[in-house]
Amino acid sequence: MLLIASAPPAVQAGEQLALPDIGNPSGNVLTPADEQRLGRAFMRSIRNTMPVIQDPLLSAYIQSLGEQLASANEDAIGRFEFFLINSAQVNAFAGPGGHIGVYSGLITTTESESELASVIAHEIAHVSQKHLVRTYDAVSSMSLPAAAVAIAAVVIGAATNNPDIGVAAATGVQAGMMQREINFTRSHEEEADSIGIRTLAAAGFDPTAMPVFFSRMGKASRLYDNGTLPEFLRTHPVTSNRIADAYGRADAFPYKQRRDSLVYHLARERLRVMAFNEPSEGIEFYSKALDDGRYRNEEAHNYGYTLVLIAARKYTQARKIIDSLLSNRPDQIEYIVAKAELEKLSGQPTLGVGLLKQGLGEHPGNYPLSIYYAQALLDIGRPKEVKQILEQQLTGRPDDALLYKLLAQASGDAGDKTQGHQYLAEYYYHTGALNSAVIQLEIALKDRDLGYYESARMAARLKEIRAEKSDLEARNR
Ligand SMILES: [Zn+2]
């Protein structure tokens, strides 16, 4: 079944082939390949509706922490993708295909990396134990893109505490029905806690961090009235029973004190800096905290201070601090990137390019260094070298919207306008902006110098995106 019976067929027969439905109403479980496709469509929908953070350093951190945890959960097979949502909410969610969203507010609220890891380990367990299967059943009669939008809308609705958001409008399904399907049962929550704690211990984190965090959140939740309760508490109620259970489970593991990684602290400061309205606000915060000795990690505070000093164009002061940080840790990617940024803004961009190139030589294929190096090369007008670097990254991250955006710029700067439009189309597609993707491909197809195969390939892609677009519009009515 491609479309639900009551919906008028909106796509032409020939185009339906491009839109496999995600399962069938008899409740067959998705194949791993179908779930991957659903996951990628889910991600496009999330990018279209949520402030997904594109910062390469923060993305690399959450991905690396998530992978550490996923590899310690023996049932977690396949690739997991972790991403950050820019929001002060204390929250995380799991979608299809191992896509796990973490709100920046969760990172800044945790008091240790083990606390952050405990929530991520819990979400990984929802995926590894296939708790989303009932959700797939609920949308199994829909085409894949529509199902992805429906799941994303419900996840966002739950996350923003507004169950009506988008669901009915975007998909034509009854919001209440979907909501019931996606809310995990109590037994799922218990299982996710229990497996999450085991994962924490296996990955070398402190397993008691989960009940400690729950308990603190439980106390904080008394400050909210029910309507503004953070989603993690609303869909994951922290009862005294649940906290006691989690303590009981954690006690089964030997006590493990764990030092937070430096990168955890650096990520927290990076997020703090992003939240300042004015660099001057940040300068006041950091200079005061450093003077008073009020910080959890002095080195990370100095890093945050450097970032706000650079933003405020106080380059001499910023240079002093970043040089001292780099002299202790010449290999620290965050510091290399900050120093390169400082060189660029203070009028010495080629020095910055050199630093990033050297860093990349020591960390071959590193994602943030590749992105910043590519950007730095674009800034000084060397687009041709950029394409190779980014295309190499693309082989491992075919759904990374930021890579397409930079590739579009590199192609355009190098004089290949048609390829620029193609990459821009992919950028829009991966951010869920299908209309803009269609327009870009239409422009690209007007190029008279296109070869036959190139032109046919592009036309096929255009047809695919158009079919997806009209399928979604049919449900939007
Ligand atoms: Zn849960």
Side-chain angles (χ1 to χ4, degrees):
M1 285 293 142
L2 189 71
L3 296 159
I4 45 176
S6 60
V11 276
Q12 290 155 19
E15 289 179 328
Q16 290 188 0
L17 292 174
L19 302 170
D21 51 350
I22 68 151
N24 63 52
S26 60
N28 285 355
V29 177
L30 291 181
T31 66
D34 282 342
E35 194 181 337
Q36 284 309 312
R37 275 207 296 276
L38 182 63
R40 288 201 298 272
F42 167 81
M43 205 51 225
R44 292 196 290 276
S45 185
I46 290 287
R47 284 189 190 281
N48 191 27
T49 41
M50 303 281 275
V52 175
I53 293 182
Q54 282 195 340
D55 183 282
L57 288 166
L58 291 171
S59 302
Y61 169 65
I62 204 67
Q63 182 66 25
S64 131
L65 176 63
E67 278 175 6
Q68 260 181 74
L69 291 160
S71 63
N73 173 336
E74 60 217 15
D75 296 329
I77 37 173
R79 183 174 162 75
F80 277 74
E81 262 181 61
F82 302 87
F83 57 96
L84 288 169
I85 306 280
N86 191 12
S87 161
Q89 283 193 53
V90 179
N91 199 12
F93 59 82
H99 287 87
I100 291 178
V102 176
Y103 283 56
S104 53
L106 177 67
I107 299 186
T108 50
T109 304
T110 54
E111 290 185 0
S112 73
E113 192 170 30
S114 288
E115 289 185 3
L116 170 60
S118 75
V119 177
I120 299 174
H122 172 105
E123 296 301 332
I124 292 171
H126 279 313
V127 175
S128 71
Q129 304 318 111
K130 309 206 182 309
H131 292 164
L132 276 162
V133 163
R134 288 194 319 150
T135 311
Y136 301 156
D137 278 350
V139 296
S140 63
S141 59
M142 302 167 77
S143 71
L144 187 138
V149 170
I151 296 173
V154 173
V155 168
I156 298 164
T160 58
N161 196 18
N162 178 3
D164 294 331
I165 194 166
V167 181
T171 65
V173 291
Q174 298 107 319
M177 186 266 283
M178 280 290 296
Q179 191 71 53
R180 274 200 304 282
E181 293 292 342
I182 203 167
N183 280 349
F184 301 131
T185 64
R186 179 173 298 220
S187 69
H188 283 167
E189 288 312 318
E190 281 174 15
E191 191 179 27
D193 285 357
S194 153
I195 289 172
I197 284 172
R198 212 161 63 202
T199 304
L200 282 178
F205 290 91
D206 171 14
T208 58
M210 187 185 281
V212 167
F213 186 63
F214 282 174
S215 160
R216 210 170 60 248
M217 289 297 100
K219 280 181 198 133
S221 72
R222 286 192 220 123
L223 304 172
Y224 298 89
D225 63 53
N226 254 349
T228 55
L229 204 59
E231 187 276 347
F232 188 75
L233 302 179
R234 210 163 42 81
T235 60
H236 299 77
V238 182
T239 61
S240 48
N241 267 349
R242 188 176 177 200
I243 295 169
D245 281 356
Y247 269 117
R249 291 192 183 103
D251 279 349
F253 296 94
Y255 175 70
K256 173 111 192 171
Q257 196 177 18
R258 185 185 185 277
R259 277 178 69 119
D260 296 334
S261 73
L262 174 65
V263 194
Y264 164 73
H265 288 292
L266 298 180
R268 284 172 53 93
E269 296 316 316
R270 214 170 157 75
L271 286 168
R272 194 198 303 276
V273 168
M274 278 167 62
F276 290 124
N277 294 314
E278 295 286 334
S280 59
E281 222 175 275
I283 289 178
E284 200 184 313
F285 169 83
Y286 281 113
S287 55
K288 198 161 177 337
L290 286 163
D291 280 352
D292 300 352
R294 283 185 299 105
Y295 41 72
R296 273 166 53 195
N297 184 298
E298 186 179 6
E299 184 172 346
H301 254 64
N302 274 305
Y303 170 66
Y305 194 22
T306 313
L307 294 182
V308 293
L309 286 169
I310 293 172
R313 302 172 186 231
K314 296 187 182 295
Y315 300 134
T316 314
Q317 238 180 314
R319 186 179 300 275
K320 228 173 91 187
I321 302 175
I322 193 67
D323 281 349
S324 127
L325 292 172
L326 268 169
S327 71
N328 283 329
R329 297 182 205 272
D331 256 2
Q332 195 67 35
I333 290 166
E334 287 80 358
Y335 301 165
I336 297 171
V337 168
K339 179 78 187 277
E341 181 76 0
L342 170 64
E343 299 294 13
K344 179 177 98 182
L345 293 172
S346 62
Q348 308 186 79
T350 47
L351 281 183
V353 170
L355 281 170
L356 292 165
K357 184 177 185 180
Q358 192 190 334
L360 207 46
E362 275 153 35
H363 306 267
N366 178 269
Y367 173 68
L369 282 174
S370 299
I371 296 276
Y372 284 107
Y373 182 46
Q375 184 67 66
L377 286 173
L378 285 175
D379 289 344
I380 60 166
R382 284 162 57 184
K384 287 201 172 115
E385 296 153 74
V386 170
K387 274 170 70 175
Q388 196 199 344
I389 298 163
L390 295 176
E391 276 163 358
Q392 188 197 336
Q393 285 292 321
L394 206 54
T395 57
R397 321 168 69 98
D399 300 311
D400 189 317
L402 179 60
L403 287 174
Y404 289 111
K405 193 179 179 183
L406 289 170
L407 274 163
Q409 194 192 335
S411 304
D413 288 1
D416 192 343
K417 296 268 183 280
T418 298
Q419 196 176 39
H421 289 301
Q422 266 181 285
Y423 276 129
L424 204 51
E426 292 306 321
Y427 167 71
Y428 284 129
Y429 177 74
H430 284 89
T431 53
L434 301 186
N435 216 17
S436 305
V438 165
I439 292 169
Q440 290 301 321
L441 278 177
E442 284 170 348
I443 298 173
L445 272 165
K446 284 186 185 142
D447 184 347
R448 281 156 190 232
D449 298 331
L450 274 183
Y452 173 77
Y453 289 106
E454 186 66 0
S455 170
R457 198 175 57 80
M458 247 192 266
R461 183 71 178 128
L462 177 59
K463 191 174 168 186
E464 215 170 66
I465 299 177
R466 272 190 184 140
E468 191 168 324
K469 183 171 157 276
S470 47
D471 181 73
L472 289 173
E473 280 166 1
R475 279 154 205 288
N476 221 350
R477 269 191 284 262

